[in-house]
Amino acid sequence: MSASEIYGQNLSYSDIQCVLNEVNLDSLPVLNISILRTVMIDSITPFLRYHAYGIDHNAIIEFGRYDNIFQEAVGGETELLNTLTDVVLIFMPLESIAWRLARSFSSLSSAEVEQEIVRINEYTQEIIEGIRSQTQAMILWHGFETPLSPGAGIYDYQNENGQMAAIRSLNDDLKSALSLIHNAYFVDVDLCRARVGENAFYDLRLWHMNKAPYSVDGLREIATEEMKFIRPLLGRNKKCLVLDCDNTLWGGIIGEDNLSGIKIGNTYPGSCFWEFQQEIINLYERGIILALCSKNNEADVWQVFDEHPDMLLNREHIATARINWQDKVSNLRQIASDLNIALDSMVFMDDSEFEISMVRQELPEVTAIILPVKKPTNYRKILADCGFFDTPTVSEEDKKRGAMYLAENKRNILKNEAGDLSLYYESLNMEVEIYEADEFSISRIAQLTQKTNQFNLTTRRYSDSDIECMVADQDASVLYLRLKDRFGDSGIVGVCVLRFASGQTFIDSLLLSCRVLGRKVENIFVVKIMEYAKDRGATNIVGEYYATAKNEQVEFFFRDMSFTEIKTDRAEPDRVFQYSLDGNLPEIPDFFKSISFLK
């Protein structure tokens, strides 16, 4: 079975071990995870490897020595922190570094508490800086757990200088310290514990015997939480939520129950669907694309959207819809085509086990989630807890994504009506702006390198700090492209990283968001890049192509732009192309309203 067919099933610890023993992980890309700890956490390994397998990676887990974090982070006494490291996990419960603060708080004076807080903050800061000096890997630091039974009992909750307040202050300080370091994040263990429940989260017997505090259920939840950070690091978080309608967005069947008979509103059972829709809108506000896939009469569905007084979702939230009586597998393929996204970017939710099973079988790339029709009370929680759409940061452009895809749908309608492609392009009134990267664009540029897969010639992934270094490098340039048209501003949709050496310009990275493919924007970008390189004194420009499972469409893009393929002795890249800048450059389309390069 493929990873996508197995992953997501509610497997036991032993089942997961069996899966990992049976599958071939060696052929998958490696995800190097280093764990520094002051507690025994080794049993988390199969959960991390299982989650990594679910996104087609082979997780190699390495542990630092027990209770040796400071020496390894600051003293460099480890081989776990280096350029190959992808993720660093830090497990340092408060008990292991400040026993009295964690277990004997009432014995401390106010001055002693303050001294401990200052000491711990300085200690954690040194560790963070020590790790970052050795590796640019993602850092996930597991926060200090607050006691469910503080030493002063219920009085502590009323006391602004109590134990709970002190530990929350430590966590706030830790979050602040991590926020100043790129690609470093705070993992809230209290949230993991709350979802599992204290009795199921800890294993007190193992704590006393081996200093291993967490139960199997606790480790499972922590690994699941960590994957919410790791998945987007690898560009594997989801972009689109596709929804059924009947018994999903509302209770009942619109074709049978009519507008007044379906259930949605502030009272049960309609409140279940009302809350579910609110959670869907929360995702929309974070930049998740929404689509409908429903076996229904289209007019009936839109009547609910337009006329039902308790509907929270409206047409403007929906980027595209396939409402008909065709099979949902075909409709999901069409939705992916409409949005120009990969199938593995989609999550499909339906109340029908038949539909979910068919999608899982025919489209294993799509993550299909069953909504238990007899328990609509669980719908909101299922969506909120799935973690497939989580990202550690949300940009302003992310928040506009739903509206951008809706605008794209309008463009496609216009395209189908226009008939003549050139007239269609001209009617868009497209405006292209190309800039050198600045401090305001770095995060968006890095984000695009991390998640763009289809039009991406080399698929090199860069962090904010990587982009910052290249911007400051005299022998490199980072360019980005913005696109506007009559339907709106698509924002930053293109990125190019250039490196200069001995009269040559090397295109280190060239990528374009799938939202704007097919409008010849890529042609404009490359010609302007060539002009830029020529102005820098380059006599030729070299582009590379590294093949991946998703970028086959750009294998011969440079050739199509009149580059000449050259042979090399290297196994990688798969193809190398070159263009002499001494002669004329390729012509650019004349249907753009304006093209500007603002250095």
Side-chain angles (χ1 to χ4, degrees):
M1 296 179 73
S2 68
S4 56
E5 290 176 287
I6 296 173
Y7 183 62
Q9 299 180 28
N10 189 23
L11 302 182
S12 67
Y13 187 89
S14 58
D15 288 337
I16 287 174
Q17 290 279 25
C18 290
V19 168
L20 294 174
N21 290 336
E22 293 173 2
V23 299
N24 179 19
L25 298 176
D26 293 337
S27 61
L28 299 178
V30 170
L31 173 67
N32 289 305
I33 301 177
S34 296
I35 301 180
L36 310 184
R37 63 334 187 358
T38 59
V39 291
M40 299 303 292
I41 199 78
D42 303 57
S43 296
I44 201 171
T45 297
F47 293 118
L48 290 172
R49 301 201 75 199
Y50 172 69
H51 278 299
Y53 175 59
I55 52 174
D56 300 309
H57 276 72
N58 178 16
I60 306 299
I61 318 293
E62 299 288 348
F63 290 86
R65 294 202 302 272
Y66 169 75
D67 200 13
N68 204 48
I69 290 180
F70 193 85
Q71 294 89 329
E72 290 167 335
V74 179
E77 296 180 10
T78 183
E79 297 180 355
L80 303 182
L81 306 176
N82 53 55
T83 56
L84 297 178
T85 310
D86 296 304
V87 182
V88 181
L89 306 180
I90 308 296
F91 289 92
M92 192 172 70
L94 194 58
E95 288 87 345
S96 63
I97 59 168
W99 178 265
R100 294 178 68 194
L101 202 61
R103 296 297 180 91
S104 184
F105 186 85
S106 298
S107 68
L108 297 173
S109 67
S110 297
E112 288 174 323
V113 170
E114 187 59 35
Q115 289 172 3
E116 278 291 84
I117 290 175
V118 170
R119 178 184 69 82
I120 294 169
N121 285 340
E122 292 175 348
Y123 186 70
T124 55
Q125 182 69 46
E126 285 190 78
I127 291 173
I128 293 169
E129 292 175 356
I131 294 172
R132 185 51 82 230
S133 70
Q134 299 180 67
T135 178
Q136 293 299 310
M138 171 180 278
I139 299 172
L140 297 181
W141 193 307
H142 300 75
F144 302 119
E145 295 150 60
T146 55
L148 293 179
S149 300
I154 60 174
Y155 170 69
D156 187 88
Y157 297 101
Q158 325 306 318
N159 183 5
E160 62 180 15
N161 295 315
Q163 184 181 26
M164 294 289 285
I167 297 176
R168 286 170 177 159
S169 174
L170 281 172
N171 280 328
D172 288 342
D173 292 338
L174 179 55
K175 291 176 193 175
S176 296
L178 291 167
S179 71
L180 298 176
I181 305 294
H182 170 69
N183 210 20
Y185 304 101
F186 177 93
V187 179
D188 195 331
V189 183
D190 277 356
L191 282 180
C192 298
R193 181 180 64 188
R195 286 194 286 264
V196 174
E198 180 187 19
N199 292 335
F201 191 71
Y202 296 113
D203 190 323
L204 298 182
R205 182 180 62 87
L206 288 178
W207 165 249
H208 285 286
M209 293 175 61
N210 300 319
K211 290 296 180 282
Y214 306 115
S215 68
V216 168
D217 288 340
L219 293 172
R220 180 199 302 273
E221 189 63 34
I222 292 171
T224 300
E225 190 74 6
E226 291 163 346
M227 191 52 55
K228 295 176 183 178
F229 294 86
I230 296 172
R231 193 180 287 112
L233 172 71
L234 303 175
R236 298 302 298 269
N237 56 308
K238 306 299 182 178
K239 299 177 181 178
C240 178
L241 173 61
V242 186
L243 297 151
D244 177 42
C245 292
D246 291 331
N247 287 315
T248 298
L249 293 182
W250 52 76
I253 301 172
I254 183 59
E256 298 176 1
D257 299 319
N258 299 316
L259 190 64
S260 61
I262 61 172
K263 307 298 182 184
I264 181 160
N266 290 319
T267 58
Y268 179 83
S271 56
C272 305
F273 303 95
W274 192 85
E275 286 196 0
F276 183 54
Q277 286 196 25
Q278 183 60 69
E279 194 62 36
I280 293 168
I281 292 173
N282 289 344
L283 289 179
Y284 174 86
E285 298 294 346
R286 283 161 42 187
I288 302 306
I289 312 162
L290 304 181
L292 300 181
C293 182
S294 174
K295 286 182 176 178
N296 235 313
N297 292 322
E298 187 171 10
D300 291 343
V301 169
W302 291 128
Q303 182 188 22
V304 180
F305 274 76
D306 294 339
E307 299 180 19
H308 199 291
D310 293 316
M311 279 289 291
L312 296 178
L313 285 167
N314 58 57
R315 287 184 188 240
E316 295 303 304
H317 291 119
I318 308 302
T320 190
R322 291 288 154 177
I323 306 168
N324 51 46
W325 298 100
Q326 297 179 28
D327 66 277
K328 294 194 175 182
V329 168
S330 298
N331 280 333
L332 286 169
R333 287 195 178 104
Q334 189 58 54
I335 287 170
S337 177
D338 291 345
L339 299 172
N340 200 15
I341 61 174
L343 287 166
D344 65 3
S345 296
M346 297 162 59
V347 172
F348 173 56
M349 286 188 158
D350 199 312
D351 66 289
S352 167
E353 291 187 8
F354 170 80
E355 301 291 357
I356 291 295
S357 296
M358 178 174 288
V359 170
R360 286 175 176 169
Q361 180 176 334
E362 300 297 324
L363 296 178
E365 308 98 315
V366 175
T367 299
I369 298 177
I370 183 72
L371 294 172
V373 67
K374 294 183 179 179
K375 293 184 178 180
T377 49
N378 292 351
Y379 282 15
R380 188 205 66 80
K381 187 177 188 305
I382 290 170
L383 179 57
D385 290 352
C386 74
F388 291 117
F389 302 103
D390 280 46
T391 55
T393 60
V394 179
S395 69
E396 287 302 313
E397 297 218 11
D398 289 331
K399 295 176 182 179
K400 300 174 184 175
R401 186 176 295 116
M404 290 176 177
Y405 273 93
L406 184 60
E408 183 63 20
N409 197 29
K410 293 177 180 177
R411 292 184 189 99
N412 289 333
I413 293 172
L414 177 63
K415 181 179 180 180
N416 293 332
E417 293 174 348
D420 185 281
L421 205 54
S422 295
L423 290 177
Y424 162 69
Y425 287 141
E426 189 172 350
S427 70
L428 287 176
N429 295 327
M430 291 185 285
E431 300 176 47
V432 172
E433 298 174 348
I434 301 170
Y435 299 84
E436 292 180 329
D438 55 26
E439 60 181 309
F440 304 106
S441 60
I442 284 174
S443 291
R444 171 61 176 165
I445 290 169
Q447 185 186 62
L448 279 172
T449 70
Q450 293 162 17
K451 69 179 185 180
T452 305
N453 297 305
Q454 295 180 63
F455 194 102
N456 193 334
L457 276 297
T458 59
T459 60
R460 295 186 174 105
R461 312 298 188 184
Y462 290 124
S463 67
D464 286 33
S465 58
D466 293 329
I467 301 297
E468 288 173 357
C469 290
M470 288 185 282
V471 169
D473 188 347
Q474 295 297 314
D475 294 323
S477 286
V478 181
L479 309 176
Y480 69 88
L481 180 146
R482 297 185 66 98
L483 179 66
K484 302 175 184 177
D485 65 18
R486 59 183 282 191
F487 292 105
D489 187 347
S490 295
I492 299 176
V493 292
V495 171
C496 179
V497 176
L498 301 175
R499 299 186 185 277
F500 308 100
S502 304
Q504 278 193 322
T505 295
F506 297 89
I507 302 177
D508 174 281
S509 297
L510 178 64
L511 56 96
L512 206 68
S513 169
C514 60
R515 286 188 284 115
V516 299
L517 294 181
R519 288 189 248 167
K520 304 299 182 181
V521 176
E522 56 272 29
N523 300 57
I524 297 287
F525 202 14
V526 170
V527 173
K528 291 302 176 182
I529 289 165
M530 295 164 80
E531 291 178 357
Y532 181 83
K534 196 171 183 177
D535 290 344
R536 288 282 303 249
T539 56
N540 64 70
I541 186 167
V542 176
E544 299 175 335
Y545 168 74
Y546 288 78
T548 71
K550 295 185 179 182
N551 73 348
E552 183 179 355
Q553 64 174 300
V554 296
E555 180 176 0
F556 295 105
F557 171 72
F558 284 124
R559 185 190 67 184
D560 295 340
M561 289 298 298
S562 300
F563 281 62
T564 301
E565 185 169 3
I566 58 177
K567 301 297 182 182
T568 70
D569 297 329
R570 295 177 292 164
E572 290 185 326
D574 296 275
R575 296 187 184 277
V576 180
F577 300 87
Q578 182 175 284
Y579 193 102
S580 173
L581 297 174
D582 292 334
N584 295 327
L585 301 183
E587 293 185 0
I588 59 177
D590 60 2
F591 44 69
F592 285 81
K593 181 180 178 180
S594 65
I595 301 168
S596 56
F597 200 137
L598 307 174
K599 299 178 184 179

